[in-house]
Amino acid sequence: MLKGRAPSIAARLTIFYTLGAMAALVLFGALVDWKAAANFDREHLRFLEAKSAEMQADLDEAGGRAEALLDEILKETGGTRLREYQARVLSGGRVLGETPNMDRVLPAPLFPAPAQRVGQIVELGRRTAARHDWLLATLPVRSAAGPLRVEIALDVTRDDALLAEFHRALAVFFVLLIPLLVLVGRWVSMRALSPVARIAHAAQAVTPTQLSARIPESPQWPRELVGLVRTFNDMLTRLDEAFARLSRFSADLAHELRTPLSNLSGELEVCLARPRGASEYRKALESGLEECRRLGGLVENLLFLARAERIDQVLQRELFPAEEAAGWVIAQHASGAAQRGIRIELSGAAMLNADPVLFRQALGNVLANAVRHAPDASTVRIGVLEDSVGAEIRVSDRGAGIDPQHLPHIFERFYQADPARNRGAGQGSGLGLAIVRSILELHRGAATIDSKPGIGTTVILRFPADSVAAVE
């Protein structure tokens, strides 16, 4: 079952903006509603307290006669149909008087109990009757005949209607506001994401043939995207360099394969051009075999480099004396060096915890280069040095040296300082030092070169401290 696509960032921002704005508005509306209702309640209570004080004052002026209070109540509540309040006066459980028809709409049992102190209201009741909303209170007053109880029903219909109208207006406001918030949220999200769209548009210009294109850093990007733009440009730079190296590698590989194949093809064509003797056929086969071995060595070196680039490459570490492994390598090259009168000297000692096979291969490649470029009857020196941060294997010769412009590229695949790439002079395929660098990187070490034209060259193989064991 296929899952639906995740909502876009713009849709999420719109939803979050709308929900956030709605939550803020709902909170604001609830606060306004609570404040309005609280103001109405405060005004109602203030009216009832004022009415209680007014009734007590009327009684005191009339000498405590209840009839005077009844006359005042009837005068205020009985003369109009739009009464603001209705009242009933009771002495004990007996009704002394009330607003006309009050007992039919608001009987006495509906009212809350009175307070003990004159002018105090301890409880308010609510009642809806005769299409009116009433606020009920019971007020204690003093008279000449003893304590009286006044039950007041305040008509709050208009106030409740005003609150209800406010609620309806809020509901309509929210219903109409939701589409507006969605539209505004969509506009805000698109404006916020417009730099991302600019990045995507700039990235579309990057193609395999246009890796030099970059995302412009002006106009100024938002602070949150500056790091993204720089990281993307850095990635493009690395890709551009990788593609350039791949192109050079492909061209160099084609050249390396073409030379032995051309030699092999030429030998066979000459051999088959006319009948020849057994010795000539044998010579042609030996030449072809030599070219096949050369191709085989090239393929093996390329396979090694491919394996060395894998992160999961496992080193077969062993503890061994570096000088003994170096002596084995010297023995392999001693014969060829002796033919030209070249001496190979070894000095120093160190215990390495490394892959001995790869160590001998790396040192062998470096030594082969040193012997190849050393002058006849000269000395190639191998020094083994150990300190607190690791071990160094230095291979020095007194050859012609390397020009400074070639040094940064000397460990690249197929790179050779000799632009003529003269195989006849005995030069290799240009993979030897690339293999050396890969072996040292597998050991988390480094391979460097120091060369001065006319003085000589020194290649330094640096093994880190975890590859070095203390010598007792």
Side-chain angles (χ1 to χ4, degrees), residues 181-434:
L181 288 177
V182 171
L183 293 176
V184 173
R186 183 68 177 178
W187 180 80
V188 170
S189 63
M190 295 306 294
R191 289 281 297 177
L193 293 175
S194 59
V196 179
R198 286 169 51 201
I199 293 178
H201 180 72
Q204 290 176 354
V206 181
T207 62
T209 58
Q210 291 291 333
L211 286 175
S212 59
R214 298 292 182 271
I215 298 178
E217 295 191 4
S218 61
Q220 187 66 36
W221 294 96
R223 185 169 49 196
E224 296 81 1
L225 296 179
V226 171
L228 175 62
V229 171
R230 291 176 179 172
T231 301
F232 192 83
N233 284 338
D234 292 342
M235 180 191 69
L236 289 177
T237 300
R238 292 192 297 270
L239 285 176
D240 194 10
E241 294 174 353
F243 268 78
R245 287 196 301 268
L246 182 60
S247 298
R248 291 196 303 268
F249 175 78
S250 300
D252 291 338
L253 179 59
H255 185 280
E256 295 295 332
L257 293 175
R258 182 177 59 187
T259 301
L261 288 175
S262 298
N263 294 340
L264 181 61
S265 176
E267 290 280 350
L268 294 176
E269 288 177 356
V270 171
C271 185
L272 295 175
R274 60 181 176 82
R276 297 179 182 274
S279 61
E280 292 180 313
Y281 283 123
R282 182 178 180 84
K283 184 178 179 181
L285 290 175
E286 290 175 348
S287 176
L289 180 60
E290 182 181 352
E291 296 298 336
C292 289
R293 287 173 178 169
R294 183 176 170 186
L295 285 173
L298 178 61
V299 171
E300 287 296 326
N301 288 336
L302 290 173
L303 289 175
F304 174 83
L305 290 173
R307 288 193 300 269
E309 289 180 347
R310 294 172 53 190
I311 299 178
D312 59 349
Q313 174 76 26
V314 179
L315 296 176
Q316 303 296 325
R317 289 182 180 268
E318 295 180 14
L319 189 62
F320 62 92
E323 66 277 9
E324 290 186 7
W328 184 90
V329 174
I330 292 173
Q332 303 301 311
H333 294 80
S335 176
Q339 293 178 5
R340 297 172 51 204
I342 297 174
R343 296 175 55 233
I344 304 176
E345 294 182 354
L346 173 64
S347 62
M351 290 296 292
L352 288 182
N353 181 23
D355 191 315
V357 176
L358 295 183
F359 173 81
R360 289 194 292 265
Q361 182 177 2
L363 182 58
N365 289 354
V366 175
L367 183 57
N369 277 345
V371 171
R372 181 184 304 122
H373 295 94
D376 293 345
S378 63
T379 301
V380 174
R381 291 180 171 84
I382 301 177
V384 180
L385 308 174
E386 182 180 347
D387 54 29
S388 59
V389 295
E392 285 185 356
I393 314 297
R394 292 175 171 261
V395 180
S396 303
D397 65 73
R398 289 292 184 177
I402 304 172
D403 291 335
Q405 66 267 25
H406 298 299
L407 292 179
H409 310 286
I410 204 68
F411 288 100
E412 294 179 3
R413 299 177 186 181
F414 297 118
Y415 188 86
Q416 294 192 4
D418 181 10
R421 305 171 64 90
N422 185 4
R423 296 293 180 264
Q427 290 185 339
S429 64
L431 292 176
L433 291 181

Side-chain angles (χ1 to χ4, degrees), residues 101-235:
N101 299 322
M102 182 177 176
D103 58 339
R104 181 173 57 83
V105 178
L106 300 169
L110 296 178
F111 287 80
Q116 297 296 325
R117 185 166 55 86
V118 174
Q120 183 181 14
I121 301 175
V122 296
E123 186 179 355
L124 293 175
R126 276 191 170 271
R127 173 75 172 180
T128 299
R131 293 182 295 181
H132 286 266
D133 297 327
W134 303 93
L135 190 63
L136 309 180
T138 303
L139 310 176
V141 294
R142 297 184 303 270
S143 69
L148 300 178
R149 190 169 79 246
V150 179
E151 296 178 344
I152 295 181
L154 179 62
D155 190 353
V156 295
T157 304
R158 286 179 294 178
D159 297 341
D160 289 350
L162 182 61
L163 283 177
E165 185 65 26
F166 176 69
H167 294 163
R168 287 192 294 271
L170 279 180
V172 174
F173 173 72
F174 286 137
V175 170
L176 297 178
L177 189 62
I178 290 176
L180 179 61
L181 288 177
V182 171
L183 293 176
V184 173
R186 183 68 177 178
W187 180 80
V188 170
S189 63
M190 295 306 294
R191 289 281 297 177
L193 293 175
S194 59
V196 179
R198 286 169 51 201
I199 293 178
H201 180 72
Q204 290 176 354
V206 181
T207 62
T209 58
Q210 291 291 333
L211 286 175
S212 59
R214 298 292 182 271
I215 298 178
E217 295 191 4
S218 61
Q220 187 66 36
W221 294 96
R223 185 169 49 196
E224 296 81 1
L225 296 179
V226 171
L228 175 62
V229 171
R230 291 176 179 172
T231 301
F232 192 83
N233 284 338
D234 292 342
M235 180 191 69

